[in-house]
Amino acid sequence: MKHVLVIRLSALGDVALMAPLVHDYATNNPGIRFTVAGPPLLAPLFVGMENVEYLGLKKKQSFIKIYKALLAVGADTVVDLHRVNRVGYALTLLQLRQLFNPHFRLRALRKGKFTRWLYLHHLYHHPRKPQYQRYDEVFKRAGLRLTPCPASASTPLSPEKKVGAETTIGIAPFSQQQGKIWPWENICRLVNMLSASGFRILLFGSKEEAPQLETLASANVTSLAGKQSFAEELEIIKSLSLMVSMDSSNMHFASILGVPVVSIWGATHPDFGFYPQQQNRDNALVANLPCQPCSAFGSKPCRYGDYRCLAAITPEMVFDKIKSVLQ
């Protein structure tokens, strides 16, 4: 094995979950080249890894374009952490082309799907295996090994090291799915409570979300939405004392940068496998209503139409959790 191709085209949070593992395997296998195929936006997550190259592939490219891009890499081992049809078709073509190459191997992650009732039945006694562990199993099946174990799996965060006279808290209040977004009035109340307590607040979001976030701007509340490149945003996140986030990619970005996160969960659940390995599980706020969770990814509409699971988490609860984490 000389060259490993790692594929994960989406979603952003899943690619972020993968980044620490790629770093650990690349560090432990310096004689092997790694090429990561993922969303172009996330290339900065892999900067500084000596034997890792990044191939930006857009999510909706045809399987023919994906095939040509992967063929140009020239890897002898493929680790597919996405397993969607367009990637599967591209890899099938790649295998057919290299049918007579005995050194070519394909290792793929096949995701199991849980029905909601089965998941709820096992949730608290048998939580779903974390996504990063499922990724790790695929690397091991490909013949890669870690010696010693990843530092990220055993090294706790130390938020007290980042708390100074002026504590900066990041807030990322949005997500791509409605079932993951805390009510706007709660966001406003939390920002006002933190601001009145002397915290400096940085708001994170997309360019489209910038106008709404700008309405919260004040002397010690700044919106960064749409103003920074992704690489610049990562540097800012790295300097935070704490991040408040939904079940979204910002939770994962902060986690891999060593920043403690207070996360708010609604339609999804931290025990469904997507909670960051670097975070304390106690910092995930969940209402634990009988109807929760109703979706693995937050895309399913609320059966009651009010997302009561999110409304049940009050600004006071989040504020108290922030204080306890910082202390």
Side-chain angles (χ1 to χ4, degrees), residues 134-149:
R134 300 174 72 210
Y135 288 165
D136 189 46
E137 290 172 356
V138 185
F139 280 103
K140 285 183 169 58
R141 290 205 305 270
L144 293 163
R145 293 292 180 266
L146 285 178
T147 309
C149 294

Side-chain angles (χ1 to χ4, degrees), residues 61-69 86 89-90 93:
Q61 281 186 332
S62 69
F63 75 91
I64 294 296
K65 289 185 178 180
I66 294 176
Y67 159 70
K68 291 180 179 179
R86 61 185 179 281
Y89 298 153
L93 291 177

